[in-house]
Amino acid sequence: MTKIVILTGAGVSAESGLGTFRDKDGLWTRYDLEEVATPEGFARNPALVHEFYNARRKNCVEATPNAAHHALARLERDFDGPVLIVTQNVDDLHERAGSSHVWHMHGQLTRALCAACGHRWDAPAVMAPADPCPACAAPATRPDIVWFGEYPYGMEAIWDELRAADLFVSIGTSGNVYPAAAFVQDAARAGAQTLELNLEPSIGAHDFEEVRTGPATEIVPAWVAQMLA
Ligand code: APR
């Protein structure tokens, strides 16, 4: 039985209208990531950080899953073997397309985290610095997002899955951010086949056995159709 582990990045949600980070007009060309995506930036100006993520949460609510998300949900449903999506995306478009095995290594826009006690809960549409934690009442509410300098979620379990994978597929990620950028090497070392699906070859494309380029809404459904044939 073939076990598939899929890593997704911003490129899978680009055609749903959610901006990527490093492409032309990407979020990190318009915002200073040090200010909005680091614990230090949040300590300096929590209102600015909440404003940034409130806007992204609103974009996410207004967006709908695209053909790539739907194809991956179909793969999970119809493939004769386990399919796990490890996503760097903080949107919930995989789940809304019907995927149920989705691990959010960089957190989720739909969740809030108390910086004081670690409690997590469903995020309201708009969050503000003085919002009290429902568990400890500290005014320390932050988005449940893994910022630069923080440790991604579930890494030990992810590495276990990569070691057990027969096929590792990376979709819509530029390969700039570790540890996700090294998953291809981790999986290959353990014997998995490796495939990249991206608009253009990523900076780590040479690590993959095969690279297919094009918009996710075209190349992901085509690959899924091939897997299910
Ligand atoms: N179809 C497929 N791929 C696309 C599409 C598309 N329609 N549009 C863009 N891409 C590709 C780009 O070519 C690029 O390689 O998606 C990739 C997006 O790269 P980034 O913007 O760097 O996003 P990502 O790799 O997900 O970023 C990783 O960085 O800032 C952090 O935490 C944030 O999770 C994020 C992490």
Side-chain angles (χ1 to χ4, degrees), residues 26-88:
L27 284 166
W28 298 153
T29 68
R30 291 181 286 125
Y31 294 89
D32 183 348
L33 73 83
E34 296 289 340
E35 296 307 320
V36 300
T38 62
E40 296 79 14
F42 185 64
R44 277 192 295 271
N45 192 345
L48 175 76
V49 175
H50 276 303
E51 193 182 301
F52 175 73
Y53 286 101
N54 287 341
R56 300 202 54 218
R57 194 175 299 108
K58 182 168 182 285
N59 290 346
C60 177
V61 168
E62 290 167 355
T64 52
N66 65 46
H69 299 106
H70 287 297
L72 294 177
R74 190 162 61 248
L75 183 70
E76 179 192 299
R77 194 182 63 228
D78 295 345
F79 185 67
D80 183 22
V83 176
L84 171 67
I85 295 175
V86 177
T87 188
Q88 298 167 93

Side-chain angles (χ1 to χ4, degrees), residues 7 159 162 168 175 177-189 207:
L7 172 70
W159 279 316
L162 290 168
F168 171 74
V177 176
Y178 287 82
F183 287 177
V184 58
Q185 294 162 0
D186 299 329
R189 206 178 300 121
D207 287 324

